[in-house]
């Protein structure tokens, strides 16, 4: 009677500042709960929550999750599809503001609903992580033909890269980026460990480093990924294959660059990949 439905329970926890551990179990296909605005259910000013799917068909359909000032949250064993839409946030999981200690694992991310912008034909981001969100792990997830998969660091971090709060820590491991386009992840300002992921048929790029980000890209398998790793405003990011020249602004929007240390990766079928050891004719 105090919190009715998924959305009502979350709103009640927020209003009463309840921190008691809570497990929400998804069974079968769940359409958008009542009271959800802009296709995104809010986990806001709360903590100690697990959202888990039960069985092999647990699916969130037509909506996603926004986290703001959430701590100790685990999301696991779900399919999320047709999230977002025109007028909505457009993300599957939007870790929007000051979230800490988040674990996202064993999730199947499918297409999102088309958004208002030209680059949102498959929805917006599968996982967007921004505005001082820190200590996040994304593991054992499958991204099915996603458009813009993962962002680690957003506008706030890009504007304040020297602020200690912009130095976020994120890990991506054992994920399958299955013919998804880009942002696996796209990083700003933070320290990001990307290891043991499988990249298959990624048409834009694999890992992107911008604005003083520091990436350790380790023991991944890149198969037919056009540009496995790019650094903003240099090299493969700004190279125009049609003309054989370099543009002033590339895929990573003309931002300043970051740094990628790569080790033990297997790269097969890349169109362009250069390291500091590459000698050009």
């Amino acid at each position: 009677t105090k919190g009715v439905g998924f959305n009502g329970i979350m709103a009640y926890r927020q209003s009463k500042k309840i921190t008691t551990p809570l497990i929400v179990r998804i069974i079968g296909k769940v359409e958008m709960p009542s009271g959800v605005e802009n296709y995104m259910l809010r986990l806001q000013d709360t903590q100690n929550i697990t959202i888990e799917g039960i069985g092999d068909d647990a699916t969130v359909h037509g909506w996603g999750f926004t986290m703001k000032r959430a701590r100790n949250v685990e999301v696991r064993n779900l399919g999320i599809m047709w999230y977002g839409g025109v007028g909505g946030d457009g993300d599957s999981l939007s870790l929007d503001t000051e979230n800490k200690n988040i674990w996202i694992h064993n999730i199947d991310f499918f297409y999102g609903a088309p958004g208002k912008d030209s680059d949102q034909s498959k929805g917006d981001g599968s996982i967007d992580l921004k505005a001082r969100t820190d200590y996040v792990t994304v593991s054992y997830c499958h991204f099915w033909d996603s458009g813009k998969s993962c962002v680690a660091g957003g506008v706030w971090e890009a504007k304040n890269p020297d602020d200690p709060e912009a130095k976020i820590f994120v890990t991506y491991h054992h994920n399958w980026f299955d013919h998804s386009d880009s942002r696996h992840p796209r990083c700003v300002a933070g320290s990001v460990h990307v290891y043991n992921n499988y990249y298959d048929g990624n048409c834009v790029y694999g890992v992107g480093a911008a604005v003083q980000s520091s990436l350790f890209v380790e023991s991944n398998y890149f198969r037919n990924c056009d540009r496995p790793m790019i650094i903003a405003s240099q090299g493969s990011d700004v190279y125009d294959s049609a003309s054989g020249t370099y543009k002033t602004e590339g895929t990573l929007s003309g931002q300043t660059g970051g740094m990628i240390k790569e080790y033990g990766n297997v790269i097969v079928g890349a169109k362009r990949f250069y390291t500091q050891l590459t000698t050009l004719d």
Side-chain angles (χ1 to χ4, degrees):
T1 58
K2 294 179 179 179
V4 179
F6 197 172
N7 191 59
I9 290 169
M10 291 301 136
Y12 185 76
R13 284 178 66 89
Q14 178 184 349
S15 66
K16 299 299 181 181
K17 298 180 173 57
I18 296 172
T19 60
T20 305
L22 173 70
I23 298 175
V24 178
R25 288 177 171 153
I26 305 293
I27 300 174
K29 178 182 176 182
V30 177
E31 304 281 0
M32 188 164 61
S34 61
V36 171
E37 297 179 357
N38 297 328
Y39 311 102
M40 303 293 283
L41 188 145
R42 287 177 175 262
L43 278 65
Q44 185 166 309
D45 298 302
T46 190
Q47 56 185 291
N48 305 325
I49 294 175
T50 295
I51 299 170
E52 64 177 1
I54 301 301
D56 59 6
D57 64 345
T59 307
V60 168
H61 187 277
W63 54 289
F65 298 92
T66 293
M67 300 183 198
K68 292 191 175 187
R69 296 173 298 280
R71 292 175 179 266
N72 302 335
V73 178
E74 179 182 9
V75 185
R76 68 185 185 198
N77 196 39
L78 287 170
I80 305 179
M81 60 177 62
W82 209 244
Y83 48 87
V86 176
D89 293 342
D91 296 329
S92 174
L93 293 176
S94 177
L95 280 60
D96 187 82
T97 306
E98 296 180 5
N99 304 286
K100 299 289 187 290
N101 305 109
I102 311 295
W103 186 18
I104 299 164
H105 64 102
N106 296 92
I107 305 288
D108 285 307
F109 292 95
F110 296 92
Y111 268 36
K116 66 181 186 303
D117 297 332
S118 60
D119 64 350
Q120 295 177 345
S121 61
K122 299 178 181 179
D124 202 3
S126 299
I127 306 174
D128 277 7
L129 189 165
K130 53 194 176 182
R132 301 176 297 283
T133 290
D134 203 359
Y135 303 111
V136 179
T137 296
V138 178
S139 58
Y140 297 98
C141 293
H142 190 174
F143 296 81
W144 298 76
D145 203 14
S146 304
K148 299 184 289 183
S149 299
C150 301
V151 164
V155 173
W156 187 88
E157 284 77 15
K159 291 181 177 179
N160 303 277
D162 296 319
D163 191 304
E165 288 191 294
K167 311 296 186 182
I168 60 176
F169 295 92
V170 190
T171 300
Y172 298 86
H173 70 86
H174 293 89
N175 300 293
W176 181 2
F177 298 107
D178 187 357
H179 292 81
S180 45
D181 296 344
S182 64
R183 301 187 178 186
H184 311 99
R186 184 195 194 287
C187 306
V188 170
S191 295
V192 182
H193 193 186
V194 183
Y195 72 91
N196 284 20
N197 299 285
Y198 181 41
Y199 294 80
D200 187 13
N202 311 114
C203 64
V204 182
Y205 68 91
V207 181
V211 195
Q212 302 181 35
S213 57
S214 178
L215 281 61
F216 186 24
V217 181
E218 175 188 19
S219 300
N220 302 281
Y221 195 106
F222 295 90
R223 176 184 178 274
N224 297 336
C225 177
D226 285 1
R227 297 178 293 169
M229 305 168 216
I230 60 175
I231 295 175
S233 299
Q234 57 189 278
S236 296
D237 179 42
V238 291
Y239 181 72
D240 182 8
S241 58
S243 64
T245 60
Y246 293 88
K247 302 174 290 185
T248 57
E249 184 172 311
T251 305
L252 298 182
S253 304
Q255 290 181 319
T256 57
M259 178 61 70
I260 296 176
K261 177 181 179 181
E262 70 93 12
Y263 175 79
N265 297 288
V266 177
I267 299 175
V268 178
K271 291 185 178 179
R272 184 176 170 88
F273 177 68
Y274 292 100
T275 73
Q276 85 280 11
L277 302 177
T278 303
T279 300
L280 301 179
D281 295 331

